[in-house]
C-alpha cells in the first residue's frame, strides 16, 4: 500500500486509472466473472461539485448534492424547522416522533429524486425550499406514525464506511468519508495493491421508470455524505462532521445538528476542537 501511495504521489490519479494499477484491477475483475475493461477505468471523470445547503436555526448546513443523499438531511431539517422541538424536550417521545416522521418524509422524496443530475432532472432548489418543507410538515400527524410515505424504491441497507475530519489551527477543515460498501466491498484485493474493490454499483434501481435506474456512465444514488456547518451571518466554520451507517447517515446528520445548538454551543465546540 505504501508503494502504491508513493506511485500516486509521483504520477497522480492517471497512474491508478490508466497505469499498472488499472491493469491489475481489470485482471482481478475479469478473472472473477466481471465485465469491466481498461476503457471503463480510463473514462472515469472526477467532478468538483458545488455543495448545497439549508439554514437551520441560524446555522448553514452544507451537504454534497445529488447523486449524494445529503439532501435528505437538509429536507428533514427544513421540516423540523416548522416544529418547536426544543420545548418537546430532548429525546422525549414527542421529540423522537417528529424527528422520525421528518426523516421518513425526506427519505420518501429522495429515494425517488436522488439521482445523477447530469442524466435526469433533479429539482434540488424546489426540494430545499422552505415552502416545500412547510407543506411536508403539515402532513405529519403528531398523534400517530404514518406508514404511507413510500415514494420511490428502497435500496439495500448495508455499509462499510470510514469517516474522519481534520481541522487545523487556522480553522481550515476537511470533512472526508470513504466506503467499500457491502461486506467491505467484494473482498478481492488486486494483485497486492493493499486495497479491496468496492461494490457500490448495487445502489441503482432496476425499474426503467425510476430516476435512479441503471444506465451507462450514470452516477448512482450515493450514501456517503461528508458535511460542514457554518454561521449564517459571518460564514465562519462551526464544525465539520459526518457519520457512518448507510441510510442512517442523513438521520445522524439531523441528530448532530439538532442536538448541538444553539449557535453559541457550536462555536464553543469549534474552539475546543482547535485546542485539541
Amino acid at each position: 500500500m505504501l508503494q502504491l501511495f508513493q506511485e500516486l504521489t509521483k504520477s497522480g490519479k492517471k497512474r491508478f486509472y490508466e497505469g499498472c494499477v488499472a491493469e491489475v484491477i481489470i485482471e482481478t475483475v475479469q478473472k472473477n466473472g466481471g465485465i469491466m475493461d481498461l476503457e471503463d477505468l480510463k473514462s472515469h471523470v472526477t467532478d468538483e461539485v458545488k455543495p448545497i445547503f439549508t439554514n437551520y436555526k441560524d446555522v448553514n448546513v452544507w451537504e454534497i448534492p445529488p447523486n449524494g443523499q445529503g439532501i435528505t438531511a437538509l429536507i428533514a431539517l427544513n421540516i423540523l424547522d416548522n416544529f418547536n422541538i426544543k420545548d418537546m424536550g430532548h429525546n422525549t417521545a414527542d421529540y423522537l416522533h417528529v424527528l422520525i416522521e421528518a426523516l421518513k418524509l425526506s427519505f420518501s422524496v429522495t429515494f425517488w429524486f436522488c439521482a445523477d443530475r447530469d442524466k435526469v432532472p433533479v429539482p434540488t432548489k424546489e426540494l430545499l425550499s422552505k415552502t416545500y418543507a412547510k407543506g411536508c410538515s403539515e402532513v405529519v400527524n403528531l398523534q400517530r406514525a404514518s406508514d404511507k410515505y413510500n415514494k420511490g424504491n428502497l435500496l439495500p441497507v448495508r455499509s462499510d464506511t470510514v469517516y474522519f475530519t481534520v481541522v487545523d489551527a487556522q480553522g481550515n477543515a476537511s470533512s472526508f468519508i470513504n466506503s467499500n460498501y457491502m461486506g467491505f466491498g467484494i473482498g478481492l484485493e488486486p494483485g497486492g495493491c493493499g486495497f479491496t474493490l468496492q461494490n457500490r454499483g448495487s445502489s441503482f434501481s432496476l425499474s426503467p421508470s425510476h430516476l435512479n435506474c441503471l444506465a451507462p456512465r450514470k452516477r448512482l444514488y450515493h450514501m456517503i455524505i461528508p458535511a460542514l456547518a457554518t454561521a449564517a451571518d459571518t460564514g465562519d466554520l462551526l464544525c465539520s462532521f459526518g457519520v457512518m451507517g448507510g441510510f442512517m447517515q442523513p438521520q445522524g446528520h439531523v441528530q448532530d445538528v439538532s442536538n448541538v445548538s444553539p449557535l453559541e454551543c457550536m462555536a464553543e465546540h469549534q474552539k475546543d476542537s482547535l485546542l485539541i
Side-chain angles (χ1 to χ4, degrees):
M1 177 62 86
L2 177 59
Q3 182 180 354
L4 173 60
F5 283 144
Q6 291 171 338
E7 290 289 335
L8 294 178
T9 300
K10 295 176 184 177
S11 308
K13 71 176 186 179
K14 187 172 182 179
R15 184 78 169 182
F16 186 94
Y17 288 102
E18 299 183 36
C20 58
V21 178
E23 293 173 357
V24 176
I25 290 175
I26 297 305
E27 180 185 358
T28 303
V29 170
Q30 293 186 352
K31 187 185 296 182
N32 288 273
I35 60 174
M36 183 186 293
D37 59 27
L38 286 171
E39 186 59 31
D40 290 323
L41 285 181
K42 185 178 180 179
S43 62
H44 169 78
V45 176
T46 300
D47 290 340
E48 182 176 345
V49 300
K50 183 178 181 180
I52 57 176
F53 78 97
T54 197
N55 180 277
Y56 180 74
K57 302 189 185 307
D58 297 324
V59 174
N60 286 344
V61 182
W62 299 83
E63 297 277 1
I64 297 294
N67 58 311
Q69 66 171 346
I71 192 172
T72 311
L74 300 184
I75 293 173
L77 287 171
N78 282 343
I79 294 172
L80 287 177
D81 227 358
N82 292 281
F83 299 92
N84 192 344
I85 60 173
K86 182 178 179 181
D87 286 353
M88 294 177 182
H90 179 62
N91 277 356
T92 61
D94 289 342
Y95 175 100
L96 293 175
H97 173 72
V98 171
L99 187 77
I100 292 167
E101 293 299 297
L103 282 158
K104 284 160 63 177
L105 273 165
S106 60
F107 265 120
S108 71
V109 173
T110 54
F111 277 151
W112 180 259
F113 284 110
C114 188
D116 188 341
R117 296 181 298 169
D118 291 335
K119 303 292 184 180
V120 296
V122 179
T124 304
K125 181 179 179 181
E126 291 80 0
L127 293 176
L128 290 179
S129 73
K130 298 294 185 179
T131 301
Y132 178 76
K134 176 65 174 176
C136 289
S137 70
E138 293 170 355
V139 176
V140 175
N141 186 331
L142 295 177
Q143 303 304 315
R144 61 183 300 165
S146 174
D147 60 356
K148 296 181 180 178
Y149 306 150
N150 57 6
K151 180 66 174 175
N153 297 335
L154 294 180
L155 302 171
V157 183
R158 296 184 187 176
S159 67
D160 269 300
T161 307
V162 175
Y163 174 83
F164 66 82
T165 183
V166 179
V167 184
D168 66 17
Q170 285 72 48
N172 300 302
S174 174
S175 186
F176 181 91
I177 192 163
N178 186 59
S179 173
N180 280 0
Y181 202 46
M182 298 185 197
F184 208 70
I186 61 176
L188 295 175
E189 179 194 7
C193 289
F195 62 87
T196 60
L197 298 176
Q198 52 90 1
N199 55 0
R200 300 206 67 94
S202 60
S203 293
F204 279 114
S205 169
L206 297 181
S207 170
S209 63
H210 200 288
L211 295 185
N212 186 44
C213 65
L214 180 65
R217 302 186 185 280
K218 186 177 182 182
R219 298 182 185 275
L220 48 74
Y221 181 115
H222 218 291
M223 299 175 191
I224 56 177
I225 46 172
L228 296 168
T230 60
D233 53 353
T234 65
D236 291 342
L237 174 69
L238 297 176
C239 66
S240 170
F241 66 98
V243 298
M244 300 176 286
F247 291 128
M248 185 273 176
Q249 290 183 45
Q251 173 190 325
H253 286 201
V254 170
Q255 289 178 296
D256 279 345
V257 174
S258 60
N259 289 350
V260 184
S261 63
L263 179 60
E264 291 78 14
C265 183
M266 297 186 76
E268 192 63 36
H269 176 71
Q270 179 200 29
K271 294 177 185 176
D272 293 342
S273 299
L274 295 179
L275 289 173
I276 292 172

